[in-house]
Each structure stands twice: as C-alpha cells, then as structure tokens.
Amino acid sequence: MKLKDEISVLKGIGPKKKKAFNKRGIFTLEDLIWNFPVKYEDRRTIHPISKKLQGREVLVSGKVISRRYGGNPYMKNVPVSFLIQGDGEMMEAVYFNAKYMANTLKINEDYVFFGKMTENHGRLQMVHPMAAMRGSDEDVRGVFPVYKKIDGISQKEIRSYLNLILPLVEDIKEWLPKKVITENRIADCKFAIENIHFPAGSKSVLMAKYRFIFEELLALQTGLLYMKRDEGCENSGINFDISEADEFITSLDFDFTKGQKKVWEEISSDLKGNKAMNRLVQGDVGSGKTVIAETAIYTSFKSGYQSAMMAPTEILSKQHFFSLKRDFDKFGVNVKLLVGSMKASEKRDILSGLRSGEIDVIVGTHALIQKDVEFRRLGLVITDEQHRFGVEQRYKLSVKGERPNVLVMTATPIPRTLAVILYGELDISIIDTMPAGRKKIRTIACSKEQRKSVYKKIKGEMDSGHQVYVVAPLIEDSEAVDAKSAETVYKELKRLYKPHRVELLHGNLSQEEKDSVMESFVAGDIQVLVATVVIEIGINVPNATVMVIENCERFGLAQMHQLRGRVGRGDDASYCYLILNKETEVAKKRVDILCGNSDGFDIAEEDLKLRGPGEIFGTKQHGLPEMHIADIIRHKEILEKSKEIASDILNRDSSLSSDENRELRRRVEKMFGEDINLKL
Ligand code: ADP
Ligand code: MG
C-alpha cells in the first residue's frame, strides 16, 4: 500500500463505499489520513450509574437483571430492553430493531455500556448503547475518534481502515523545519498524525491539535509575509509629485468632505515619501471613495506612472471606467477597460498599450492579473471592494510593478487584528463623513402579510418617475428552500406594474444580457429591476429611490446595508423595505438593527454582538485561504507566534530554497496556489 493509492485498495471498500468516500473529498489513502476526527469519545473511566450523568456520553457498568420485549410481539423487530443494576441506581438499556441483542446480553452477568444517558418516564436510560462483557471490554474502552459522517460507513469501519493504513505515516515527510520543531517543542508530524486519530491520552491529543493549528498558521503567515516582502513596503523609490493634485480636486463639481480631506492628506503624505504606500481606506457606501482613488491616480499620471484599478465584477469595473473617463478626459489621461468578456482583438490592443505605456490607467476585473498583462511603469495599484479578492490576487496585481503604491478600498469594516493579518503592517484611513445633502433612507420592516400593500404603495414612486430595485435571495424557485425567487417576483410585478417596464437581472444571464439590462436601468428605461445580489456592490443610479429586500432573513446585515446604499443617492427621499418571511427572534432583531442604524460601522458592530466573530469574519469573506483546523480569531496567540517564526525563517532564507525549508515551501504553495511563485 502506498499513500497515493485509491481507497478502494482497502479490503471491504467496493464501488458504493468508494463513492461515499469520494463525496467527502476522500480519494486516496493519504486523504483518509488527513481526514481528522471531529471529536473523541472518552471511554476510559467507568462511572457509577447516576442521575448526574444525564445528557452525557459515558461509560457505565452494571449487572443485567431482567429482559423485556416491548411493542407488538408479531413485529419482525421487537424492541428489547434490559434492566441494569449498577452500584446504586438502575438503568434501562434499549435496543430497537435488534432482536439478536436478546441473546447477546446474559442475565446476571456484568457488562460495561457506552452511550448517552437520558431519562424516560423517570428512569435512566441508554438507547442502543455499545456493550461488552466486563473484563473483555478492550473494544469498548479507551479514547475513540469520531469522524464526519460518511454515508453507509460506520465509525467502527472508518477506525479500522485507519488502523490499517496508519503505518503509512512513515512515508509522510516532515515539512516543518527541524529547528522550529525543537525550539518550540512542537510534536513532529508522525506523532501528531498518529495521536490525532488514536490518542494515547488527552495530553497527546492536545499536542497533536496544537501541531496542526500551528503548522497551518505558520504556512499562512509564511505565505503572507513572503508576498508582503515581495510587494515591498520599505523603500520603493517611487515618489509621486502631488503638487498638482489640487488641479484635479478643483475640477470636480463638489468639495471634498471633511473625511475625504483627511484621508487624502494621509494618502498624499505616503505618496510623496520614499516608503511605498500600503493603505486601506474604509468608508461606508456612498462616502466617496472613488474620487479619492481618482485623485491618487491623477498624481500617478502626473508623475509619469501607470495605474491599475481592479474591481470584482464587470458591472462595477465599467462604472468605474466611465467615472474615470468622465473626470479625466479633460486632462488627456488615457483610460482603458479590460474585462474577460472583451473580444480577443480588443484585448490584444489593450495589452500592447499597457506594455508600451500608451495607456495611463487600466480599470478591470480579475482579467488584470492574467499572466500576459504587463506594464511599462506601474506605479499605483488600487483594489476596490477588497474583501471580494483573495490576498494572492491582490499580490499578483502589485508584482506587475516595481513595488508600486498600493491602495485598498472597502466598505466592509475589518477588525484591526484581522486587517494586520491580511495586509501586514498596513495603514488604515477612514472616511467618516458623508457628502452633504444626503437624505436619510427610511427603512421599514414588513411582514409577509404586508407585502402586497408595500408593492402597491411603491407604484406611486414609479408614477412620479423614480426607479425601484427588488432583491430576492434565489434565482428560481427551489423546493429545498422556502424563499421567494427573483423569477417569481419578476412575473408577479410585471403583471402588477403594467405598463411600467420590469426587468430581471441575475448571475445566470450572459454578460451581454446583464450589461444590456444594467445599461437600460441606468438610462432610466427600466422602472423596476428585480435582481439577485449581483447588484450588491457599486452601481450608482441616483434616480432609484426604493430598495425592496425579499426574505430579508436570508441576507447578512452588512450585505443588506450595502444593498440599501444603492438608493438615497439623489436629492429625493428614499425608502428601503425589508420583507420578513420568517419572523424569528434573531431575524426581528437584525431587522431592528438596520432600521435603527444608518452607519455601516455601527451595523457591523451590532452584527458582531449578535453573531460572534467566527461567523462574520470567516476567512472566506476576507480572501484568506481556507483553514482546516485553525481559526484566526480563536487562535490569535498561535497566529502571532507563527508570524514571528515565519519572519525569522524568511529572514534567513527569503525564498525558502534551502533543503531545510523545501517542504515548508511546498506546504505554502499548496495553501496559496502554486502560481504565487515562490522563487527558487
Ligand atoms: P463609495 O464610497 O460607495 O465608493 P462613490 O465613490 O461611488 O462612493 O460616491 C458616491 C457618489 O457620491 C458619487 O456619485 C460621487 O460622485 C459622489 N460624491 C463623492 N464625493 C462627494 C462630495 N464630497 N460631495 C458630493 N458628492 C460626492
Ligand atoms: Mg465604491
């Protein structure tokens, strides 16, 4: 047997079981080894039978004093129950559909039982406990791993497979450098794997877990630090001439808000200094981040550098592109757009323009980080709505320049600790004011029953020339989920609002279809846009005054706040209707938070109180690679320690090319994807 062998080499694993394993992502013996237990059953101590054990999974012992059949005697599988006398108290052991048990347990013999202690009609009870004769209880006693459920395969089987293949750990290479292991007294890989499956005791489980949390976080930190160093936040040599920024700022038809002024000052002092900028700008939806980015781009242009601005969707990229063109045309800045859906010939022209330096500013989606995109002199890199990007994507864009200035923009507040992990020692600027004259958006919660009257009321807005967004959680109806689909709502409203034009926008449409719907909405030809969350970010239609969110219990608070931010962008009063389908306590509380707060940061904080950090700041939302065992919030201390160690390793071997670090490098590449390209 070898690690890379398919699991079907194991005796007893036929096509059906193989499929069940595959469904869980387990294909090879190695995968099975890496399938760690989710918990353990501690069956070491025998407890006296007692009421105090209720609700716990425990091992008890006692003598079988009687046997009783229940139910209908003509049933094929009659339940059988045994009365067990412990030291003091009695309990009942019940087996359903298990006639054979009747002869397995003998009256007047002593047994040990493992199961969950419950109470039934005042009597202690275990349903389907595991049982073994006292004295020959090796199979029942000990610490046993419990794995994620795999269809049709019992825990016992999984354990026996693991027992069989565990000797293969000899072939697994240790990937932590020796020095790290000894200096930090960390369990080696062999010990850790063996003990995470079949722990010798509770201390060895802890050591094994610690080892895996540690190594996962070390790989994370090493990868992040590696990218950080390569991006370079020390001396960049790129200093922008910011003296002409005012020329751009005064060309706008509004003045900067106080918050924008402050943030621009912070950015400009980075840009003129020797240190490359690495700054995160947080600002609520509508606070005016784009124009700050534009000002920075303008100084980059004036200093002879190219700039790149990356946004997560085509719609948003296009909108930025049009704003930039509008604001920059008079200054002769050559702005171009690069998105996936463009024709090959168009792309070719853009790529050559970027290489020659003829293009000054490029706006686009992930298309910007493709290998063939090269710049002549990239001096400024901006990512909008950063939480939509993986850290390695941002990195790929910035290494297209020689340590360019980096600006990251987000409307999603990130706690300081997490921000530092994500960006290293970055600086944070906050736009804490809103442009003057913004009307507060009235947010109104309604029940399922009020739904119809809400839609009738909204008609008035359309009659006075305004536009409406309606967001639903699903594209089409699904039996599995009790929620309104965009398609159903669309059909309904089309009928109701005739002759106003109602259109549908969702992720399954082709790019062209999406664009054409979006463009007609922006132009005011469509009155009602029924959509899924594809419209969540960025788009700007000041004439839209109503946002309706269907099944609002299915959306995140921050997400709904973003959605709400699509209205209230013009001079007219705006409304946001939250339609609750299921009125649970939590759902109502969440709606109250939105109704009572208009500040995204406050909302995030309330959300945090309601849900706890783990759920909100999951790695997924913030672009970190997925962690299997570590939790960056809960294991903060290990995270900090691993950062020091990662930094130490990279100080001595900046490309992880020494023999000692080779395996660690593989581990990092596996985590971030090989194309982060750790140099040899
Ligand atoms: P966000 O921070 O959500 O990205 P935008 O940059 O899209 O916000 O700005 C929203 C709208 O506010 C845009 O139409 C923009 O032109 C306008 N805006 C930005 N700054 C100001 C300001 N200081 N005064 C008035 N309007 C502004
Ligand atoms: Mg924006």
Side-chain angles (χ1 to χ4, degrees):
M1 274 190 306
K2 287 193 294 297
L3 285 168
K4 297 285 174 218
D5 284 346
E6 282 197 40
I7 39 154
S8 50
V9 300
L10 290 170
K11 223 171 146 186
I13 299 190
K16 209 166 152 202
K17 287 187 177 168
K18 181 179 163 189
K19 215 167 152 194
F21 273 114
N22 290 173
K23 223 172 108 193
R24 283 290 185 189
I26 299 165
F27 296 89
T28 63
L29 298 182
E30 188 171 14
D31 294 338
L32 191 56
I33 289 183
W34 288 116
N35 180 51
F36 291 167
V38 285
K39 61 172 192 179
Y40 301 88
E41 283 171 359
D42 184 353
R43 312 186 206 150
R44 286 172 300 175
T45 318
I46 296 180
H47 298 268
I49 295 173
S50 146
K51 277 204 163 52
K52 276 185 261 170
L53 300 175
Q54 263 188 74
R56 284 173 58 192
E57 290 199 314
V58 283
L59 191 67
V60 295
S61 77
K63 191 189 289 294
V64 177
I65 53 174
S66 71
R67 177 174 62 203
R68 187 169 61 87
Y69 295 98
N72 179 343
Y74 298 106
M75 265 162 58
K76 207 166 157 203
N77 290 307
V78 248
V80 51
S81 64
F82 300 90
L83 207 54
I84 315 293
Q85 176 71 64
D87 280 347
E89 292 182 61
M90 299 222 272
M91 75 167 201
E92 203 176 25
V94 185
Y95 297 89
F96 296 98
N97 298 323
K99 209 171 178 178
Y100 69 92
M101 279 308 292
N103 305 317
T104 319
L105 296 185
K106 300 197 168 54
I107 310 281
N108 275 331
E109 295 281 357
D110 282 317
Y111 292 90
V112 294
F113 298 89
F114 180 77
K116 189 168 178 182
M117 189 68 83
T118 53
E119 201 185 290
N120 185 26
H121 295 300
R123 168 167 287 167
L124 290 173
Q125 189 181 59
M126 276 190 184
V127 177
H128 274 278
M130 220 174 280
M133 184 89 81
R134 188 83 201 255
S136 60
D137 48 11
E138 304 82 17
D139 281 355
V140 179
R141 291 189 70 178
V143 177
F144 289 78
V146 178
Y147 298 90
K148 245 182 339 211
K149 210 177 147 11
I150 298 177
D151 289 339
I153 300 167
S154 71
Q155 292 291 331
K156 206 169 156 192
E157 282 175 278
I158 303 180
R159 282 179 209 131
S160 75
Y161 295 140
L162 271 160
N163 244 323
L164 217 62
I165 62 174
L166 219 51
L168 293 175
V169 290
E170 300 292 346
D171 300 339
I172 295 180
K173 281 208 191 91
E174 174 60 69
W175 61 95
L176 285 179
K178 259 210 186 68
K179 189 164 170 300
V180 173
I181 292 187
T182 47
E183 279 179 6
N184 299 284
R185 279 177 280 148
I186 286 166
D188 65 43
C189 142
K190 181 169 172 280
F191 176 94
I193 291 175
E194 285 171 348
N195 279 280
I196 202 126
H197 289 293
F198 300 112
S202 23
K203 197 168 164 228
S204 44
V205 186
L206 287 180
M207 281 173 69
K209 272 196 186 156
Y210 185 87
R211 142 91 205 201
F212 291 117
I213 294 169
F214 177 88
E215 61 110 311
E216 192 160 44
L217 293 174
L218 183 71
L220 175 73
Q221 292 285 20
T222 309
L224 290 173
L225 271 183
Y226 175 84
M227 291 190 271
K228 190 82 252 126
R229 284 170 181 228
D230 212 32
E231 279 177 318
C233 46
E234 287 96 48
N235 293 344
S236 77
I238 299 184
N239 327 344
F240 289 173
D241 173 10
I242 57 148
S243 62
E244 286 180 84
D246 278 343
E247 182 182 66
F248 175 73
I249 297 171
T250 50
S251 80
L252 297 165
D253 49 18
F254 48 74
D255 293 327
F256 272 5
T257 61
K258 218 167 125 212
Q260 284 171 316
K261 273 192 195 132
K262 183 191 69 190
V263 170
W264 171 246
E265 248 161 53
E266 289 162 357
I267 291 176
S268 58
S269 84
D270 287 351
L271 292 179
K272 70 183 174 205
N274 264 332
K275 194 173 149 278
M277 173 168 73
N278 186 30
R279 190 171 284 277
L280 172 71
V281 173
Q282 294 188 353
D284 207 355
V285 221
S287 61
K289 294 183 290 289
T290 316
V291 74
I292 294 290
E294 287 180 356
T295 315
I297 291 173
Y298 186 76
T299 61
S300 169
F301 165 72
K302 279 289 181 183
S303 315
Y305 287 94
Q306 292 169 294
S307 307
M309 183 163 178
M310 183 160 72
T313 62
E314 293 212 357
I315 291 174
L316 192 54
S317 302
K318 280 183 189 162
Q319 196 164 323
H320 280 320
F321 169 68
F322 291 123
S323 311
L324 263 59
K325 261 189 93 64
R326 179 196 63 206
D327 294 342
F328 283 149
D329 257 1
K330 49 184 167 295
F331 298 107
V333 183
N334 184 3
V335 185
K336 284 282 186 296
L337 177 74
L338 181 65
V339 290
S341 65
M342 282 161 75
K343 281 202 222 77
S345 60
E346 280 178 293
K347 272 188 203 159
R348 235 180 351 258
D349 288 349
I350 303 259
L351 294 185
S352 87
L354 286 173
R355 228 171 286 129
S356 70
E358 184 198 323
I359 296 174
D360 303 308
V361 182
I362 188 78
V363 185
T365 54
H366 302 83
L368 294 184
I369 55 178
Q370 302 309 311
K371 281 222 168 66
D372 50 359
V373 179
E374 289 163 34
F375 292 83
R376 197 175 77 87
R377 247 185 137 204
L378 180 62
L380 174 65
V381 164
I382 298 170
T383 34
D384 191 19
E385 304 293 349
Q386 62 75 32
H387 65 285
R388 291 299 186 100
F389 292 103
V391 273
E392 70 287 356
Q393 291 174 318
R394 193 169 44 86
Y395 161 76
K396 280 185 201 160
L397 183 56
S398 64
V399 289
K400 290 183 185 292
E402 281 285 317
R403 300 176 187 268
N405 290 301
V406 173
L407 186 63
V408 172
M409 304 196 292
T410 181
T412 312
I414 307 170
R416 173 85 211 174
T417 38
L418 193 56
V420 171
I421 303 163
L422 285 167
Y423 309 104
E425 296 309 320
L426 90 172
D427 303 299
I428 298 181
S429 290
I430 298 172
I431 305 183
D432 52 6
T433 50
M434 282 296 205
R438 284 276 159 81
K439 297 256 167 32
K440 228 184 162 156
I441 303 158
R442 269 199 63 200
T443 305
I444 304 137
C446 16
S447 64
K448 222 169 22 184
E449 290 72 32
Q450 294 167 303
R451 197 173 163 266
K452 283 231 159 70
S453 69
V454 166
Y455 280 113
K456 284 212 184 94
K457 203 153 85 197
I458 296 170
K459 189 147 187 289
E461 284 292 310
M462 276 173 259
D463 294 338
S464 56
H466 290 140
Q467 289 161 282
V468 173
Y469 296 99
V470 179
V471 177
L474 306 174
I475 297 178
E476 37 187 70
D477 280 343
S478 147
E479 275 176 25
V481 196
D482 173 27
K484 285 263 171 212
S485 74
E487 254 170 23
T488 311
V489 176
Y490 163 68
K491 282 184 199 142
E492 208 178 312
L493 296 186
K494 212 171 149 139
R495 218 175 315 122
L496 183 67
Y497 290 145
K498 236 187 220 164
H500 290 303
R501 196 169 151 202
V502 180
E503 288 294 344
L504 183 62
L505 182 73
H506 57 66
N508 282 0
L509 298 179
S510 73
Q511 195 55 49
E512 276 147 42
E513 289 168 311
K514 271 192 260 183
D515 286 352
S516 104
V517 171
M518 243 5 268
E519 273 155 31
S520 318
F521 190 72
V522 173
D525 297 335
I526 293 175
Q527 278 69 51
V528 182
L529 186 65
V530 181
T532 53
V533 282
V534 287
I535 62 159
E536 181 191 340
I537 37 176
I539 59 167
N540 190 26
V541 180
N543 189 44
T545 53
V546 181
M547 166 66 68
V548 182
I549 304 179
E550 289 272 6
N551 285 95
C552 66
E553 68 277 1
R554 302 189 68 89
F555 293 90
L557 279 187
Q559 200 175 25
M560 287 195 271
H561 177 65
Q562 296 261 353
L563 285 169
R564 176 169 66 178
R566 297 304 106 214
V567 297
R569 298 183 155 237
D571 297 329
D572 302 290
S574 294
Y575 307 88
C576 175
Y577 293 95
L578 305 173
I579 303 179
L580 260 175
N581 202 37
K582 282 211 187 69
E583 301 193 33
T584 62
E585 271 310 298
V586 178
K588 277 197 231 157
K589 255 192 207 141
R590 282 158 36 92
V591 165
D592 283 346
I593 293 173
L594 276 178
C595 293
N597 288 284
S598 55
D599 183 301
F601 289 74
D602 293 344
I603 290 172
E605 209 152 285
E606 293 292 332
D607 205 8
L608 188 68
K609 279 188 214 151
L610 214 58
R611 294 200 285 166
E615 279 178 73
I616 301 177
F617 303 111
T619 51
K620 280 233 171 67
Q621 286 105 304
H622 291 97
L624 284 179
E626 196 188 343
M627 297 284 113
H628 294 289
I629 185 164
D631 177 327
I632 51 176
I633 304 284
R634 266 196 330 175
H635 303 133
K636 214 177 107 203
E637 269 149 47
I638 312 178
L639 185 72
E640 272 156 19
K641 185 168 177 183
S642 61
K643 185 172 182 182
E644 274 168 40
I645 297 170
S647 153
D648 197 43
I649 292 173
L650 286 168
N651 275 342
R652 277 180 285 117
D653 180 11
S654 63
S655 56
L656 301 181
S657 50
S658 72
D659 277 352
E660 171 183 60
N661 293 328
R662 184 177 304 129
E663 292 303 317
L664 177 64
R665 195 181 82 221
R666 284 219 183 104
R667 180 82 179 87
V668 174
E669 283 175 346
K670 201 166 160 205
M671 183 176 270
F672 287 91
E674 268 168 43
D675 47 353
I676 77 162
N677 192 18
L678 295 173
K679 287 180 207 85
L680 275 171

